[in-house]
Amino acid sequence: MSSESRSESSLESPFDRPVDRQLTSSQKWDKYRDQDILPMWVADTDFHAPGPVVEALQERVEHGVFGYTNPPQELIDVVIERLASLYDWKIDPDWLVWLPGLVCGLHLACRSVGERGSSVISPTPVYPPFTSAPGFSERRLIQLPLVKQGQRSVIDFDQLEASIEPDTRLILFCNPHNPGGAVYRREELQRLNEICQRHHLVLCSDEIHCDLILEPGVEHIPAASLSAEAEARTITLMAPSKTFNIAGLGCSLAIISDPKLRQAFRRTRRGIVPDVNLLGYTATLAAFRDGDDWNRQQCDYLRSHRDYLLREINAIEGLSLAPFEATYLAWIDVSALGLENPPAFFEAAGVGLSPGADFGDKNYMRMNFGCTRELLEEAVRRIRVAVETHRDTQQSS
């Protein structure tokens, strides 16, 4: 490791300590078990959860009883206080609907809004459930390609409005965006809300990456927090899972202020979607109450990783990585390589990335850099060698 890399990654950081996830039934690591392929695909990190989360879980386990559990009142209070403190957004506890995962929230939104056969607009490229949920819900998907504005990939609001059809009832929205990493500004959210109001649309806003802002000076703004009108037509989805690496404990929340919309959402989930388990509630409370200092350190570490990747990936001829503002997910343009099968190419190089085709663009690959700097640098080294060898082969043929 170079001295520059050592300085950037701060070897004193607890995030530099590798965690052995082999033989833990990890989806991420089991995919390439017994293969020399670094798993950098599905969006969970390789970091220990914050100490307060682990301690809270240990205390609850020692209690020894694991029955059906209601959301703790303290958790409800912490969520309300957190939204007020971070975003000046005052919510009512009745607006909270607890879910065992954010993806089921997308599906519930699709099934709760509109009728069978009505249309749902979703941006692309995007996290795969955004494009699969409408079809599974007997709705018709309208894909809205993101556009470049400067170096950010965001919604073209004129194009959005032109895409709305008479039977459109719902827009699925991702902010911060996965996989592009853009964070929407207040004026952009205001424009989105104006369109929703004008066309009587419900907005389902996935904000799961809201605590992973890497760009200094950029802030997350919940779409529903703009006004009472925005609040009334928005289903906000949040979770601690990505930020605090507790996805396996399954605890998310929907915030729905409109009583009729909330009733439809609850009615749709009845008998199908289970309640959150008690350890999920326990971990979420500890993370939201006591995990912010830990997350500030994590974001510093991830910011260093992001800056390293922007420099190193863009120095490899044939690859391109645009600046991004949030998440630990790098959206890498590989189109210049002319690969027939990009996922297989990178796996052969010893790096397992998420195929861009899964998100709606085969010209890209998504890299999860929520790992130690040592592993990240090894992944970049393998990618550089593979791309240079490929280029030399192409030039000599």
Side-chain angles (χ1 to χ4, degrees):
M1 185 184 292
S2 68
S3 59
E4 181 182 12
S5 297
R6 286 193 186 94
S7 173
E8 281 186 357
S9 61
S10 175
L11 291 179
E12 299 304 314
S13 169
F15 300 99
D16 264 323
R17 298 172 194 151
V19 179
D20 185 1
R21 299 185 66 186
Q22 303 282 358
L23 305 180
T24 62
S25 300
S26 162
Q27 288 184 11
K28 181 179 182 181
W29 283 81
D30 275 3
K31 181 174 181 178
Y32 299 113
R33 182 187 290 186
D34 300 326
Q35 301 177 68
D36 184 21
I37 300 176
L38 304 176
M40 309 186 78
W41 60 291
V42 69
D44 73 13
T45 69
D46 290 331
F47 306 141
H48 268 294
V53 171
V54 176
E55 291 164 13
L57 289 169
Q58 289 171 336
E59 181 179 338
R60 190 63 201 249
V61 167
E62 286 175 5
H63 180 260
V65 179
F66 310 110
Y68 299 119
T69 307
N70 293 320
Q73 184 60 48
E74 186 181 2
L75 173 57
I76 294 169
D77 294 342
V78 163
V79 168
I80 291 172
E81 292 166 9
R82 183 178 184 83
L83 294 175
S85 173
L86 291 176
Y87 311 119
D88 195 26
W89 183 21
K90 297 174 177 59
I91 71 163
D92 189 288
D94 289 343
W95 301 356
L96 296 174
V97 182
W98 295 93
L99 301 167
L102 189 137
V103 170
C104 66
L106 293 171
H107 286 259
L108 289 172
C110 288
R111 297 177 192 205
S112 304
V113 178
E115 307 78 30
R116 288 182 180 178
S118 62
S119 59
V120 175
I121 294 176
S122 176
T124 56
V126 72
Y127 180 51
F130 275 69
T131 53
S132 63
F136 287 132
S137 306
E138 299 184 87
R139 268 57 171 177
R140 184 167 53 85
L141 172 66
I142 298 174
Q143 297 193 47
L144 179 71
L146 297 177
V147 297
K148 283 280 188 184
Q149 290 186 0
Q151 293 184 309
R152 300 164 66 237
S153 291
V154 294
I155 289 173
D156 180 321
F157 293 106
D158 290 332
Q159 189 177 354
L160 167 61
E161 194 149 24
S163 300
I164 297 169
E165 298 184 0
D167 66 354
T168 303
R169 298 290 180 268
L170 177 68
I171 298 174
L172 300 181
F173 181 56
C174 188
N175 177 39
H177 191 77
N178 173 14
V183 179
Y184 282 81
R185 309 301 195 253
R186 183 175 298 275
E187 58 273 17
E188 293 171 327
L189 295 172
Q190 288 171 336
R191 180 80 188 279
L192 177 59
N193 179 50
E194 289 165 4
I195 291 171
C196 288
Q197 284 193 55
R198 191 156 52 246
H199 296 275
H200 309 289
L201 303 177
V202 171
L203 181 74
C204 180
S205 185
D206 169 3
E207 303 184 11
I208 196 170
H209 293 282
C210 64
D211 294 312
L212 292 166
I213 308 296
L214 304 184
E215 186 63 24
V218 171
E219 62 173 343
H220 176 74
I221 302 169
S225 70
L226 293 179
S227 65
E229 292 78 16
E231 199 172 66
R233 56 177 67 255
T234 301
I235 299 170
T236 302
L237 302 176
M238 291 181 167
S241 51
K242 303 299 182 188
T243 302
F244 301 101
N245 200 22
I246 52 175
L249 293 173
C251 183
S252 302
L253 60 145
I255 305 168
I256 311 171
S257 71
D258 182 78
K260 289 184 179 178
L261 183 57
R262 188 170 63 252
Q263 182 182 28
F265 191 91
R266 288 185 181 278
R267 185 172 58 245
T268 302
R269 70 165 288 175
R270 195 175 299 145
I272 299 173
V273 178
D275 292 331
V276 175
N277 72 81
L278 69 89
L279 295 183
Y281 283 135
T282 300
T284 298
L285 170 57
F288 282 160
R289 185 188 59 202
D290 304 317
D292 284 338
D293 286 343
W294 177 92
N295 185 42
R296 277 188 280 273
Q297 296 177 55
Q298 176 183 228
C299 285
D300 288 342
Y301 190 76
L302 293 173
R303 186 178 303 111
S304 171
H305 278 16
R306 178 201 64 171
D307 295 345
Y308 167 81
L309 281 173
L310 286 169
R311 183 176 66 249
E312 296 299 323
I313 292 296
N314 286 316
I316 301 173
E317 186 179 342
L319 299 181
S320 176
L321 176 59
F324 56 103
E325 301 166 326
T327 81
Y328 48 79
L329 306 166
W331 187 234
I332 303 172
D333 186 341
V334 302
S335 57
L337 296 179
L339 301 173
E340 242 180 71
N341 187 337
F345 173 84
F346 289 100
E347 286 175 350
V351 183
L353 307 176
S354 294
D358 291 351
F359 299 80
D361 195 333
K362 64 181 180 180
N363 292 313
Y364 285 78
M365 297 292 289
R366 193 189 74 171
M367 171 188 276
N368 172 358
F369 58 89
C371 60
T372 64
R373 177 57 68 90
E374 182 178 13
L375 189 147
L376 181 63
E377 290 187 354
E378 174 60 17
V380 170
R381 185 195 68 79
R382 293 182 182 195
I383 289 171
R384 182 185 298 111
V385 169
V387 171
E388 289 175 353
T389 301
H390 172 75
R391 190 174 64 243
D392 292 345
T393 301
Q394 294 291 99
Q395 290 172 351
S396 62
S397 61

